[in-house]
Amino acid sequence: MSFQIGPFNIHMYGVMLALGALAAILVAYIEARRRGENPDHLFNMALIVIPLGVIGARLYHVIDQWSFYSANPGKIIGGEGLGIFGAVAGGLLGLIIYTGWKKLNLLRWCDILAPGLILAQGIGRWGNFFNQELYGYPTSLPWGIPIDPAHRLPGFEQYTHFHPLFLYESILDIAGFAFLMIAGRKLRDRLKNGDIMLLYFIWYGVVRFILEGFKIEVWTIGGIPTARWISGALVIGSAVVLWLRHRKKNTVVTGADGSAV
């Protein structure tokens, strides 16, 4: 879906992605100030993080849909379609480069960016609605969304209404944003640098692991959706790291003679 402004054709997909990016920067600005960091870094950081995030997102999507792009190589560059895991990986690489260059605390800046990132995902998913993509299996539920025949996947042409996966993820992403913002404030005396990013990985990993079961066509490894492999690894790995960082070590109290009390 698109609309015209003078000579420019504006795609709603791009509008939603832009709104998501702006929301992420605004939230990160607020978080940077709250944590006593210089928010001006955000605007310089964005020049590295956003392009690498877009490249990573596009690369993941192309690999995911390689059966299509191998037959249509001309659409690899400039086409629509992004993968969030690729965006996170590319953006993280950009953040590592910038914080290393400016001698900033990487984990602290990960925590500053994480809440805005998941909010941007929740907003950006509405771009899938306008493109009539990211829908699940056919459904007769009241909230099923109609998909035009031209956008129905092969084998499902006879169905009209499908699970709105974009909506499911959008709601859960925004809930995740609220959770991270509350956790960052309520638990600020107990959290360590990097914990908010770990909580983001756990939250989004669980969300994505569940929602992959609704998808019709997915990239699989060993018969299991690739996104589930990644999500499961993120959830388990992040939970283990979080536990190791906060486990209480047993303290042994000794008496005057050196024996344990």
Side-chain angles (χ1 to χ4, degrees):
M1 181 181 293
S2 62
F3 58 93
Q4 203 76 20
I5 296 181
F8 302 104
N9 188 34
I10 309 298
H11 293 273
M12 286 303 300
Y13 183 84
V15 170
M16 299 313 299
L17 291 182
L19 289 176
L22 289 174
I25 293 173
L26 176 60
V27 171
Y29 187 92
I30 293 170
E31 287 296 281
R33 293 192 62 180
R34 183 177 72 84
R35 291 170 178 267
E37 298 291 339
N38 182 0
D40 290 344
H41 280 298
L42 289 168
F43 305 104
N44 296 323
M45 188 183 295
L47 298 177
I48 300 176
V49 172
I50 291 179
L52 287 179
V54 171
I55 292 171
R58 185 62 183 164
L59 181 61
Y60 184 96
H61 173 75
V62 169
I63 296 173
D64 184 9
Q65 302 292 327
W66 184 244
S67 59
F68 171 79
Y69 288 105
S70 60
N72 300 274
K75 294 186 177 182
I76 291 177
I77 298 176
E80 295 180 342
L82 301 170
I84 186 60
F85 287 127
V88 173
L92 182 58
L93 175 60
L95 185 60
I96 291 171
I97 292 171
Y98 185 83
T99 54
W101 174 34
K102 295 294 184 178
K103 303 296 189 294
L104 302 175
N105 187 312
L106 171 63
L107 294 180
R108 190 169 180 81
W109 278 94
C110 281
D111 287 347
I112 289 170
L113 296 176
L117 172 60
I118 198 167
L119 176 61
Q121 290 172 227
I123 295 172
R125 278 305 179 198
W126 283 87
N128 299 127
F129 165 72
F130 292 110
N131 276 4
Q132 293 199 41
E133 59 188 9
L134 196 64
Y135 54 85
Y137 284 96
T139 182
S140 58
L141 292 170
W143 56 82
I145 56 170
I147 298 296
D148 295 339
H151 293 92
R152 295 173 195 165
L153 293 171
F156 294 88
E157 295 88 350
Q158 70 273 32
Y159 298 100
T160 59
H161 287 68
F162 299 78
H163 278 285
L165 284 191
F166 79 91
L167 178 61
Y168 298 161
E169 185 173 326
S170 179
I171 292 172
L172 292 171
D173 285 347
I174 293 173
F177 162 71
F179 167 69
L180 294 183
M181 292 293 279
I182 293 171
R185 285 157 174 76
K186 295 292 185 181
L187 303 176
R188 62 181 178 273
D189 296 329
R190 298 174 57 187
L191 295 176
K192 300 180 180 182
N193 288 332
D195 283 353
I196 292 295
M197 179 59 81
L198 290 172
L199 290 174
Y200 160 78
F201 285 145
I202 293 171
W203 183 284
Y204 185 68
V206 170
V207 168
R208 190 62 181 270
F209 189 91
I210 294 171
L211 293 184
E212 282 300 303
F214 288 86
K215 281 189 176 181
I216 298 173
E217 286 189 347
V218 292
W219 170 23
T220 64
I221 296 178
I224 297 175
T226 304
R228 276 193 163 172
W229 284 111
I230 298 173
S231 299
L234 280 176
V235 172
I236 295 172
S238 298
V240 168
V241 171
L242 199 60
W243 176 75
L244 290 174
R245 299 183 90 196
H246 291 273
R247 65 176 177 170
K248 294 182 179 179
K249 296 181 179 179
N250 294 325
T251 302
V252 178
V253 180
T254 59
D257 58 355
S259 61
V261 176

